[in-house]
PDB file of all heavy atoms in Angstrom:
ATOM      1  N   THR O 322     -24.696  96.448 -45.182  1.00 95.00           N
ATOM      2  CA  THR O 322     -25.726  95.645 -44.544  1.00 95.00           C
ATOM      3  C   THR O 322     -26.760  95.257 -45.597  1.00 95.00           C
ATOM      4  O   THR O 322     -27.370  96.135 -46.221  1.00 95.00           O
ATOM      5  CB  THR O 322     -26.402  96.423 -43.401  1.00 95.00           C
ATOM      6  OG1 THR O 322     -25.403  96.766 -42.441  1.00 95.00           O
ATOM      7  CG2 THR O 322     -27.492  95.602 -42.745  1.00 95.00           C
ATOM      8  N   PRO O 323     -26.953  93.966 -45.832  1.00 97.00           N
ATOM      9  CA  PRO O 323     -27.919  93.538 -46.856  1.00 97.00           C
ATOM     10  C   PRO O 323     -29.327  94.025 -46.556  1.00 97.00           C
ATOM     11  O   PRO O 323     -29.721  94.179 -45.401  1.00 97.00           O
ATOM     12  CB  PRO O 323     -27.854  92.006 -46.788  1.00 97.00           C
ATOM     13  CG  PRO O 323     -26.520  91.704 -46.205  1.00 97.00           C
ATOM     14  CD  PRO O 323     -26.260  92.819 -45.233  1.00 97.00           C
ATOM     15  N   MET O 324     -30.052  94.291 -47.630  1.00 97.00           N
ATOM     16  CA  MET O 324     -31.443  94.717 -47.516  1.00 97.00           C
ATOM     17  C   MET O 324     -32.247  94.082 -48.648  1.00 97.00           C
ATOM     18  O   MET O 324     -31.680  93.500 -49.573  1.00 97.00           O
ATOM     19  CB  MET O 324     -31.554  96.240 -47.544  1.00 97.00           C
ATOM     20  CG  MET O 324     -31.061  96.889 -48.835  1.00 97.00           C
ATOM     21  SD  MET O 324     -31.178  98.689 -48.819  1.00 97.00           S
ATOM     22  CE  MET O 324     -32.881  98.934 -49.253  1.00 97.00           C
ATOM     23  N   ASP O 325     -33.551  94.189 -48.573  1.00 98.00           N
ATOM     24  CA  ASP O 325     -34.446  93.651 -49.587  1.00 98.00           C
ATOM     25  C   ASP O 325     -34.871  94.791 -50.506  1.00 98.00           C
ATOM     26  O   ASP O 325     -35.802  95.525 -50.204  1.00 98.00           O
ATOM     27  CB  ASP O 325     -35.652  92.986 -48.919  1.00 98.00           C
ATOM     28  CG  ASP O 325     -36.561  92.264 -49.892  1.00 98.00           C
ATOM     29  OD1 ASP O 325     -36.484  92.528 -51.119  1.00 98.00           O
ATOM     30  OD2 ASP O 325     -37.365  91.438 -49.431  1.00 98.00           O
ATOM     31  N   PHE O 326     -34.191  94.932 -51.638  1.00 98.00           N
ATOM     32  CA  PHE O 326     -34.503  96.006 -52.578  1.00 98.00           C
ATOM     33  C   PHE O 326     -35.866  95.809 -53.228  1.00 98.00           C
ATOM     34  O   PHE O 326     -36.539  96.788 -53.546  1.00 98.00           O
ATOM     35  CB  PHE O 326     -33.409  96.129 -53.643  1.00 98.00           C
ATOM     36  CG  PHE O 326     -32.173  96.812 -53.141  1.00 98.00           C
ATOM     37  CD1 PHE O 326     -31.147  96.071 -52.579  1.00 98.00           C
ATOM     38  CD2 PHE O 326     -32.041  98.191 -53.204  1.00 98.00           C
ATOM     39  CE1 PHE O 326     -30.004  96.698 -52.095  1.00 98.00           C
ATOM     40  CE2 PHE O 326     -30.910  98.821 -52.724  1.00 98.00           C
ATOM     41  CZ  PHE O 326     -29.889  98.074 -52.172  1.00 98.00           C
ATOM     42  N   LEU O 327     -36.285  94.562 -53.409  1.00 98.00           N
ATOM     43  CA  LEU O 327     -37.589  94.290 -54.013  1.00 98.00           C
ATOM     44  C   LEU O 327     -38.705  94.793 -53.098  1.00 98.00           C
ATOM     45  O   LEU O 327     -39.629  95.484 -53.555  1.00 98.00           O
ATOM     46  CB  LEU O 327     -37.756  92.799 -54.302  1.00 98.00           C
ATOM     47  CG  LEU O 327     -36.722  92.187 -55.257  1.00 98.00           C
ATOM     48  CD1 LEU O 327     -36.903  90.679 -55.365  1.00 98.00           C
ATOM     49  CD2 LEU O 327     -36.753  92.853 -56.615  1.00 98.00           C
ATOM     50  N   ALA O 328     -38.615  94.472 -51.811  1.00 97.00           N
ATOM     51  CA  ALA O 328     -39.640  94.921 -50.855  1.00 97.00           C
ATOM     52  C   ALA O 328     -39.603  96.443 -50.694  1.00 97.00           C
ATOM     53  O   ALA O 328     -40.656  97.079 -50.569  1.00 97.00           O
ATOM     54  CB  ALA O 328     -39.419  94.247 -49.500  1.00 97.00           C
ATOM     55  N   THR O 329     -38.419  97.027 -50.734  1.00 97.00           N
ATOM     56  CA  THR O 329     -38.300  98.475 -50.602  1.00 97.00           C
ATOM     57  C   THR O 329     -38.954  99.180 -51.805  1.00 97.00           C
ATOM     58  O   THR O 329     -39.656 100.183 -51.636  1.00 97.00           O
ATOM     59  CB  THR O 329     -36.819  98.898 -50.474  1.00 97.00           C
ATOM     60  OG1 THR O 329     -36.254  98.211 -49.341  1.00 97.00           O
ATOM     61  CG2 THR O 329     -36.670 100.390 -50.276  1.00 97.00           C
ATOM     62  N   LEU O 330     -38.756  98.643 -52.992  1.00 97.00           N
ATOM     63  CA  LEU O 330     -39.407  99.207 -54.175  1.00 97.00           C
ATOM     64  C   LEU O 330     -40.917  99.050 -54.094  1.00 97.00           C
ATOM     65  O   LEU O 330     -41.668  99.969 -54.431  1.00 97.00           O
ATOM     66  CB  LEU O 330     -38.868  98.551 -55.453  1.00 97.00           C
ATOM     67  CG  LEU O 330     -37.477  99.014 -55.883  1.00 97.00           C
ATOM     68  CD1 LEU O 330     -36.915  98.078 -56.956  1.00 97.00           C
ATOM     69  CD2 LEU O 330     -37.505 100.447 -56.377  1.00 97.00           C
ATOM     70  N   GLN O 331     -41.375  97.876 -53.623  1.00 98.00           N
ATOM     71  CA  GLN O 331     -42.823  97.663 -53.472  1.00 98.00           C
ATOM     72  C   GLN O 331     -43.427  98.666 -52.494  1.00 98.00           C
ATOM     73  O   GLN O 331     -44.509  99.205 -52.732  1.00 98.00           O
ATOM     74  CB  GLN O 331     -43.104  96.220 -53.039  1.00 98.00           C
ATOM     75  CG  GLN O 331     -42.827  95.221 -54.135  1.00 98.00           C
ATOM     76  CD  GLN O 331     -42.812  93.775 -53.642  1.00 98.00           C
ATOM     77  OE1 GLN O 331     -42.604  93.496 -52.465  1.00 98.00           O
ATOM     78  NE2 GLN O 331     -43.014  92.847 -54.560  1.00 98.00           N
ATOM     79  N   ALA O 332     -42.732  98.925 -51.400  1.00 97.00           N
ATOM     80  CA  ALA O 332     -43.204  99.907 -50.424  1.00 97.00           C
ATOM     81  C   ALA O 332     -43.217 101.313 -51.042  1.00 97.00           C
ATOM     82  O   ALA O 332     -44.135 102.096 -50.787  1.00 97.00           O
ATOM     83  CB  ALA O 332     -42.332  99.880 -49.177  1.00 97.00           C
ATOM     84  N   GLY O 333     -42.217 101.617 -51.840  1.00 97.00           N
ATOM     85  CA  GLY O 333     -42.165 102.907 -52.518  1.00 97.00           C
ATOM     86  C   GLY O 333     -43.311 103.071 -53.495  1.00 97.00           C
ATOM     87  O   GLY O 333     -43.889 104.165 -53.616  1.00 97.00           O
TER      88      GLY O 333
END
Side-chain angles (χ1 to χ4, degrees):
T322 300
M324 61 181 278
D325 186 342
F326 283 91
L327 300 175
T329 303
L330 284 167
Q331 289 168 337

